Amino acid sequence: MLVGAIDCGGTKVLAALVDEKGTVFAPQRASIPTHDKARYFGGAVSMLRDACREQGVAFETIERVGVSIPGMVDETGLVLGSPSAGWSEFPVKPILRPFLPDRGIQLFLENDVNACALAERRFASGGDDFIWLTVSTGIGGAIVSGGHLLRGATSCAGEIGHMKVEFDDPAPCGCGDCGCLEAHASGTAIGRASVAAGIGPDALACAKAAQMGDPVAQEIWQRAGGYIGRALAAAACVVNPRAIYLGGGVSSSFNLFSQGLKNAFFSAVLPQCAEVNIQPTRLGYNASLLGAAALCFRESGALRAS
Amino acid sequence: MLVGAIDCGGTKVLAALVDEKGTVFAPQRASIPTHDKARYFGGAVSMLRDACREQGVAFETIERVGVSIPGMVDETGLVLGSPSAGWSEFPVKPILRPFLPDRGIQLFLENDVNACALAERRFASGGDDFIWLTVSTGIGGAIVSGGHLLRGATSCAGEIGHMKVEFDDPAPCGCGDCGCLEAHASGTAIGRASVAAGIGPDALACAKAAQMGDPVAQEIWQRAGGYIGRALAAAACVVNPRAIYLGGGVSSSFNLFSQGLKNAFFSAVLPQCAEVNIQPTRLGYNASLLGAAALCFRESGALRAS
């Protein structure tokens, strides 16, 4: 069975058809401004129509569509907010519905980081007990424990990016507090350190410099890894995972910060919780898109919006 | 239905009959040395027989017995170890069986802190998403998320006592590392600070001094509360609980450290995860005993050892 998958990002949208094995067909990619939500979600569905056309599949025959959202989503399909898209609270179903066929297509919604974790579980290494960490412009996390995705009391479980990791010299965070992991180890934080050190304007420049052997750039990456390891060790004491998977753009530089991460992690985690395999996801750029597809293939417990 | 409940502690054993509502009948209490396991568990079952006799119930008619264990227990009933009882790994079923009737009595085993959380869920305030924290000689935790007790990959979820909370001046912990919550806020840690300040030999003396208005003793308690709040804020970012319940002997002094705890918690937790009710359990001294009973009343998912 082919399902429709849409990865709604803060800066770009991906859409494709995906089968049970996670094979992606006719992927579409576009940038759509987020401020006009009808145009944004209408454009996203239109990309899925394009994928169908390209694949020679009638759009009307698609029975399930999964959508990953760059923000917190509750169990009724209410988007609670998205800093990266600039959205405050709104219900997404009434916006998406007019663009879909009239008959009862099944629509599944999920936060993009949770979706990545579900993709890792269904299409990659997975397992029943793991932490997913997206390290990108910001840092988000998701927890799978005993085979269940943790939601928490207000749909905010897995907010590892806002665990405090620096107490002596805490940097300000987008959440309004300071000392958060995101303020010390996100792409934004690495970029800021790169600018301060005169290396370059962003995390990418810092990665290139580190790969060329610049010791200051290398130190910036390993220090960021140390903060990630510190937060993950604390999270591992709480949920005792078997594995930790890292995704997001920054994680493609895993080799630049893995040593700092692992040193901090294994020195801080309780020995009984230390049997943890830490690795970058092999889902790469498609993790969230595959997550949207994974929503459609879940046996039960899916967040169904219609 | 009456079930048999046994709370196996490192220094004392409680046994009683308990009904569906959590009413405790004919409670027995004794100290039994832990080094001879057959004598220890035989003595514990003997106390349950005494409770039956006292209550006028034939021991043979008890269909279910729950046992809480002061250490980590895996899903097969293997005790992985108990620092407080001085036990390394051993299977507890073959030791308990000979003391129980031949017919197929149902035997349920659980770690004592997990058991407390299950008691809170069944017999007290509970809910589907909460953290339980036992603050006693050591510090242990348990997580209920989406109505499920988290076990983790190696049955060690909820080890909040070993989250790192002090990085500048970390105190050594029983786990071999330093800077753990347990090393800075357990009864042992409070007692150590009390001795160093010349207040008294243990946490109890420090509590009495604080209640009498001693500002140094009060500061020791609030500082311990601050560390607890720091660890719980990090844990709350991970699992997003609705409530946090504190049990254990130290928690009976909740009023002495609640302000430090709440200040640290609410200043560090992500606002979206801050709708949390923090309170001492009302189960008191019987929490773990009631937890042993709660094991017998669980609809499903119980750790059944026979």
Side-chain angles (χ1 to χ4, degrees):
Chain A
M1 182 175 72
L2 286 177
V3 300
I6 301 175
D7 171 15
C8 292
T11 53
K12 50 105 191 73
V13 176
L14 304 181
L17 296 169
V18 179
D19 71 7
E20 294 90 335
K21 293 178 177 170
T23 312
V24 173
F25 298 93
Q28 313 291 313
R29 183 182 178 182
S31 292
I32 312 179
T34 57
H35 64 273
D36 181 340
K37 296 191 195 85
R39 192 179 152 205
Y40 180 84
F41 287 102
V45 174
S46 176
M47 289 166 64
L48 188 57
R49 283 184 186 273
D50 293 343
C52 287
R53 196 174 307 119
E54 191 176 315
Q55 192 62 21
V57 171
F59 184 57
E60 288 66 26
T61 65
I62 300 296
E63 293 180 6
R64 299 178 181 188
V65 174
V67 182
S68 67
I69 301 281
M72 288 178 272
V73 185
D74 80 3
E75 300 198 9
T76 69
L78 188 72
V79 174
L80 302 176
S82 167
S84 66
W87 296 330
S88 51
E89 187 175 302
F90 73 100
V92 72
K93 284 187 286 181
I95 299 177
L96 271 167
R97 271 277 155 230
F99 302 104
L100 295 168
D102 274 344
R103 55 172 195 77
I105 198 167
Q106 287 184 301
L107 186 59
F108 301 88
L109 301 173
E110 185 56 276
N111 163 268
D112 56 357
V113 180
N114 285 349
C116 287
L118 295 175
E120 183 70 38
R121 180 161 159 74
R122 177 158 191 108
F123 298 124
S125 305
D128 280 346
D129 294 276
F130 66 88
I131 295 174
W132 171 280
L133 197 71
T134 294
V135 188
S136 180
T137 316
I139 295 183
I143 315 287
V144 172
S145 181
H148 298 279
L149 178 70
L150 300 196
R151 301 209 168 275
T154 57
S155 303
C156 295
E159 286 288 355
I160 291 169
H162 298 282
M163 296 174 80
K164 300 294 176 281
V165 293
E166 177 55 59
F167 300 92
D168 290 333
D169 187 19
C173 183
C175 74
D177 205 352
C178 52
C180 299
L181 176 62
E182 181 166 302
H184 290 275
S186 64
T188 309
I190 292 166
R192 198 165 46 223
S194 177
V195 169
I199 292 168
D202 54 22
L204 193 61
C206 194
K208 283 180 182 163
Q211 271 147 0
M212 297 289 285
D214 181 333
V216 178
Q218 289 173 341
E219 167 60 20
I220 288 172
W221 279 96
Q222 297 296 356
R223 196 182 331 132
Y227 284 121
I228 295 173
R230 179 180 282 190
L232 287 174
C237 287
V238 180
V239 297
N240 182 206
R242 178 85 62 199
I244 296 171
Y245 303 107
L246 287 95
V250 172
S251 297
S252 60
S253 299
F254 186 69
N255 68 312
L256 293 177
F257 64 89
S258 64
Q259 203 54 55
L261 191 168
K262 290 179 181 178
N263 288 350
F265 181 87
F266 289 106
S267 78
V269 74
L270 185 69
Q272 289 87 335
C273 297
E275 281 178 43
V276 181
N277 185 19
I278 304 174
Q279 60 183 73
T281 181
R282 56 184 175 80
L283 297 175
Y285 192 72
N286 279 336
S288 182
L289 181 72
L290 287 166
L295 297 173
C296 302
F297 293 121
R298 292 175 86 187
E299 286 73 27
S300 65
L303 184 60
R304 190 160 150 202
S306 67
Chain B
M1 181 175 72
L2 285 178
V3 300
I6 301 175
D7 170 17
C8 292
T11 52
K12 50 106 190 76
V13 176
L14 304 181
L17 296 170
V18 179
D19 71 8
E20 294 91 335
K21 292 180 177 170
T23 313
V24 174
F25 298 93
Q28 312 291 313
R29 183 182 177 181
S31 291
I32 313 179
T34 57
H35 65 273
D36 181 340
K37 295 192 195 83
R39 193 180 150 205
Y40 180 85
F41 287 103
V45 174
S46 176
M47 288 166 64
L48 187 57
R49 283 183 186 275
D50 292 344
C52 288
R53 196 174 305 118
E54 192 176 313
Q55 192 61 22
V57 170
F59 183 57
E60 289 66 26
T61 64
I62 300 297
E63 294 180 6
R64 299 178 180 189
V65 173
V67 183
S68 67
I69 300 282
M72 287 177 273
V73 185
D74 80 3
E75 300 198 9
T76 69
L78 187 71
V79 174
L80 302 175
S82 167
S84 66
W87 297 330
S88 51
E89 186 174 304
F90 73 99
V92 71
K93 284 186 284 180
I95 298 176
L96 271 167
R97 272 279 155 228
F99 302 105
L100 295 168
D102 274 344
R103 57 171 194 76
I105 198 167
Q106 287 185 300
L107 186 59
F108 301 88
L109 301 173
E110 185 57 275
N111 163 268
D112 55 358
V113 180
N114 285 349
C116 287
L118 295 175
E120 183 70 39
R121 181 161 158 74
R122 178 157 189 107
F123 299 123
S125 306
D128 280 348
D129 294 276
F130 67 88
I131 296 174
W132 170 280
L133 197 71
T134 295
V135 188
S136 179
T137 316
I139 294 183
I143 316 287
V144 171
S145 181
H148 297 278
L149 177 71
L150 300 195
R151 301 208 167 276
T154 57
S155 303
C156 295
E159 286 288 356
I160 291 170
H162 299 282
M163 296 174 81
K164 300 295 176 282
V165 294
E166 176 57 58
F167 300 92
D168 290 332
D169 187 20
C173 184
C175 75
D177 205 350
C178 51
C180 300
L181 176 62
E182 180 166 301
H184 290 274
S186 63
T188 309
I190 292 166
R192 198 165 47 225
S194 176
V195 169
I199 291 166
D202 55 22
L204 192 62
C206 194
K208 283 181 182 164
Q211 271 146 2
M212 298 288 286
D214 181 334
V216 178
Q218 289 173 341
E219 167 61 22
I220 288 173
W221 278 97
Q222 296 297 356
R223 196 182 330 133
Y227 285 121
I228 295 173
R230 179 180 282 190
L232 286 174
C237 287
V238 179
V239 298
N240 181 206
R242 178 85 61 200
I244 297 172
Y245 303 106
L246 288 95
V250 172
S251 296
S252 60
S253 300
F254 186 68
N255 68 311
L256 293 177
F257 64 87
S258 65
Q259 202 54 56
L261 190 167
K262 289 179 182 177
N263 288 350
F265 180 86
F266 288 107
S267 78
V269 75
L270 185 69
Q272 289 88 335
C273 298
E275 281 178 42
V276 182
N277 184 19
I278 305 174
Q279 60 184 72
T281 181
R282 55 185 174 81
L283 296 175
Y285 193 73
N286 279 336
S288 182
L289 180 73
L290 286 166
L295 297 173
C296 302
F297 292 122
R298 292 177 84 186
E299 286 73 26
S300 66
L303 185 59
R304 191 162 151 202
S306 67

